[in-house]
Amino acid sequence: MRETGILMAVSSLPGPYGAGDLGPEAMHWIDLLAENGVTVWQLLPLGPTGYGNSPYQTYSSRAGDPLYLSLEGLVEAGLLPEKPAAFDLPAGRVDYEQVRRLREPWLRRAYGAFRPDGDYAAFAAQGWVRDYAVFAALKARHGMACWLDWPEPDRSWPQTRDPAATADLEAEIGYQTFLQYEFLRQWNRVRAHAHSRGIRLMGDVPFYVGVDSVEVWAGRENFLLDSDGRPSFIAGVPPDYFSATGQRWGNPIYDWDRLRADGYRFWVERIGYCQTLFDLIRIDHFRAFDTFWKIPAACPTAVEGAWIEAPGYEVLDTLYAKLPGLQLVAEDLGDLRPQVLTLRDHYRLPGMKVLEFTLQPVGRYVRDLGEDRPRQIVYTGTHDNDTVQAWYASLSASYRRKLRKYLKTQGLQSGTMARRLILLGLRSRAALFVAPLQDVLSLGAAGRMNLPGAVGSPNWEWRLDSWPETARQLKALRPAILARR
């Protein structure tokens, strides 16, 4: 069966509380997908967003962002006496700072009503939960500063585990643990509803973790750091079609020799936990399993650096041996050496084809220069691309004319350009076709989710303001979606 998916972040769901969450709107979204033949919901990472509110720079690979906790769900759980009034925030955008400020009193009120039980005790006893709760409590103590700027002994708590260092934080540690417990409870409810409606969930896992994360704070030995804990080398990519100076992400580089020595436990635990949350796991920047761009931390751009080989076969062999049923997807975009595709195909992983990249002018015509293989996922665009409508508007008049002529040969001469590319993608041989919701809605540049290389607003802020137009557009696509099966 050829499937269809929609890409939308949880934060982009509509609702009364300033950002999408795991409550009734998430359930309604799943119902809308199921009613219109869509079988995959692709999400962005769910972790607590850090620098620039990016879901790809989170404080933890396993923790969930409390921003996504449903206040209505806390009412249903008996932890809040009443449904809060809607927040007075602009529709269509997520103001992260204001949403967190307005939600915080309600979350603390719910914690005050919470009574731990055996399930909670078992959850709290997990090592990663305690580490994250302490990390989050210490960040709160230090005004959310990066752990590298904390004073001792807080910086070194993972090495000392000194009870005296956190004695005055036990209430805050309990609160942070509660938030993670409730997040998992609510997520499991959403996941169960998705499965009951025949919807699979595709999660997105960044290859790297952020320097200001519990993984680096509590596991310095897994990364190339100096004696002070700061990265000696950082990750990124060299100059490409996104940036003339490359992308300097700032994430620390893994110490692969150390990871090999303990059987890649870090990766097994990280991906294994994601496997409990998602049905499919897309590895963002998959190419780094083959070779990664290693930038000296002192360099201000990503121009200077070197490609270093990674032990991808060893890591993936270990993951598949330790995690039965694992289903990975390779993000294999960009200028890749052939060995990356060989690695991908060795494990029969679906790769990605993005129509905005593959529909290219060749002479007098536009041609689709991408492969049309069953074992891949075809996209109109991703969270890192402009919307189809904005991309089309940015093309030269000649390019646009050739594109229209090409689509006319495919019987696609009417409707918005986004709608035509969606219909083109639905005809592909690929096992899965995915469109961002912004393209389903034929939105322009205002619908863009992220501009790579830029930090802060308006990145990651796009949000749906209501359901009617989405329901109408999905219903219009339903015949083509069902014909794809």
Side-chain angles (χ1 to χ4, degrees):
M1 184 180 80
R2 295 182 304 163
E3 295 186 274
T4 302
I6 303 292
L7 167 60
M8 181 170 67
V10 170
S11 61
S12 295
L13 291 164
Y17 302 116
D21 58 41
L22 302 178
E25 306 297 339
M27 303 298 189
H28 180 67
W29 171 237
I30 288 168
D31 290 339
L32 267 181
L33 296 177
E35 289 163 7
N36 291 288
V38 178
T39 56
V40 173
W41 176 12
Q42 181 176 339
L43 307 102
L44 300 184
L46 298 173
T49 59
Y51 184 59
N53 294 313
S54 171
Y56 293 87
Q57 293 284 353
T58 66
Y59 296 138
S60 169
S61 290
R62 302 193 211 183
D65 197 327
L67 185 86
Y68 305 140
L69 277 174
S70 166
L71 300 182
E72 291 147 303
L74 295 176
V75 173
E76 292 177 12
L79 299 176
L80 291 177
E82 59 191 10
K83 178 179 174 180
F87 296 163
D88 184 19
L89 293 172
R93 287 280 168 187
V94 179
D95 184 332
Y96 286 87
E97 182 178 351
Q98 290 297 329
V99 172
R100 293 188 193 283
R101 180 182 65 81
L102 291 170
R103 288 185 182 230
E104 181 74 6
W106 294 99
L107 296 178
R108 290 194 178 274
R109 188 173 180 181
Y111 176 55
F114 178 69
R115 298 295 176 265
D117 58 14
D119 287 341
Y120 174 82
F123 173 82
Q126 298 177 86
W128 78 263
V129 174
R130 177 68 181 181
D131 281 355
Y132 176 74
V134 172
F135 179 78
L138 288 171
K139 281 194 75 68
R141 169 191 271 175
H142 299 299
M144 301 306 291
C146 176
W147 70 268
L148 287 166
D149 299 323
W150 297 350
E152 294 291 353
D154 295 349
R155 280 169 49 95
S156 332
W157 182 88
Q159 289 76 47
T160 66
R161 305 277 166 172
D162 181 6
T166 56
D168 62 332
L169 289 178
E170 285 306 317
E172 183 65 18
I173 292 169
Y175 171 64
Q176 296 295 336
T177 304
F178 159 77
L179 294 179
Q180 293 309 309
Y181 178 72
E182 285 301 312
F183 177 90
L184 186 60
R185 184 186 65 80
Q186 291 191 5
W187 175 256
N188 285 339
R189 185 179 176 187
V190 168
R191 186 167 184 253
H193 184 62
H195 289 173
S196 75
R197 299 303 309 268
I199 304 295
R200 295 194 297 161
L201 302 171
M202 188 194 312
D204 212 356
V205 176
F207 184 85
Y208 294 109
V209 299
V211 64
D212 190 19
S213 68
V214 67
E215 282 82 12
V216 180
W217 175 68
R220 295 191 200 183
E221 66 279 5
N222 294 321
F223 305 89
L224 298 179
L225 309 174
D226 63 21
S227 59
D228 198 37
R230 299 179 186 277
S232 48
F233 296 90
I234 57 174
V237 290
D240 58 12
Y241 45 70
F242 281 129
S243 173
T245 58
Q247 296 179 48
R248 186 185 185 278
W249 298 333
N251 306 76
I253 297 290
Y254 294 111
D255 184 339
W256 287 112
D257 290 336
R258 170 66 180 78
L259 294 177
R260 179 186 289 115
D262 70 354
Y264 301 107
R265 178 181 173 185
F266 174 90
W267 276 96
V268 172
E269 292 182 349
R270 186 181 183 212
I271 300 300
Y273 187 77
C274 291
Q275 192 181 19
T276 69
L277 303 180
F278 308 113
D279 305 295
L280 301 166
I281 300 171
R282 192 192 82 120
I283 304 295
D284 191 67
H285 198 54
F286 173 82
R287 73 146 305 146
F289 275 127
D290 170 71
T291 46
F292 57 91
W293 190 243
K294 185 179 180 182
I295 308 166
C299 294
T301 72
V303 172
E304 296 182 47
W307 286 115
I308 308 296
E309 290 194 3
Y313 286 95
E314 288 183 17
V315 177
L316 290 167
D317 280 346
T318 302
L319 292 177
Y320 280 108
K322 298 284 189 180
L323 304 173
L326 180 63
Q327 295 189 54
L328 298 179
V329 172
E331 183 272 289
D332 55 353
L333 304 175
D335 185 14
L336 308 176
R337 70 176 194 157
Q339 291 90 332
V340 179
L341 305 183
T342 301
L343 176 67
R344 177 199 69 190
D345 293 343
H346 178 80
Y347 296 96
R348 299 182 61 81
L349 301 181
M352 294 175 58
K353 169 184 169 181
V354 177
L355 294 178
E356 285 188 20
F357 295 157
T358 62
L359 292 173
Q360 294 293 325
V362 180
R364 297 172 56 193
Y365 302 97
V366 158
R367 296 280 186 261
D368 188 345
L369 301 184
E371 292 183 90
D372 188 16
R373 302 181 298 114
R375 196 171 67 247
Q376 68 178 351
I377 305 176
V378 172
Y379 291 80
T380 52
T382 74
H383 62 276
D384 281 335
N385 303 120
D386 216 335
T387 66
V388 166
Q389 291 299 116
W391 166 76
Y392 176 66
S394 73
L395 303 178
S396 68
S398 173
Y399 195 163
R400 292 199 300 268
R401 183 171 59 254
K402 292 174 182 179
L403 179 57
R404 291 193 301 269
K405 287 174 65 176
Y406 168 73
L407 293 173
K408 187 175 181 179
T409 68
Q410 306 299 309
L412 300 171
Q413 63 256 45
S414 62
T416 66
M417 184 53 62
R419 175 54 54 90
R420 281 182 269 180
L421 289 200
I422 287 174
L423 293 173
L424 182 69
L426 286 168
R427 295 177 183 178
S428 74
R429 298 171 60 226
L432 176 60
F433 167 73
V434 175
L437 181 61
Q438 293 95 316
D439 287 343
V440 173
L441 297 172
S442 294
L443 297 182
R448 183 163 191 163
M449 194 65 173
N450 178 51
L451 177 63
V455 177
S457 183
N459 279 359
W460 315 113
E461 293 178 357
W462 181 81
R463 182 171 179 241
L464 191 65
D465 55 11
S466 62
W467 288 119
E469 183 62 14
T470 297
R472 189 174 76 84
Q473 295 298 338
L474 284 175
K475 184 177 180 180
L477 286 170
R478 185 173 184 272
I481 292 171
L482 295 180
R484 175 172 167 76
R485 293 185 171 184

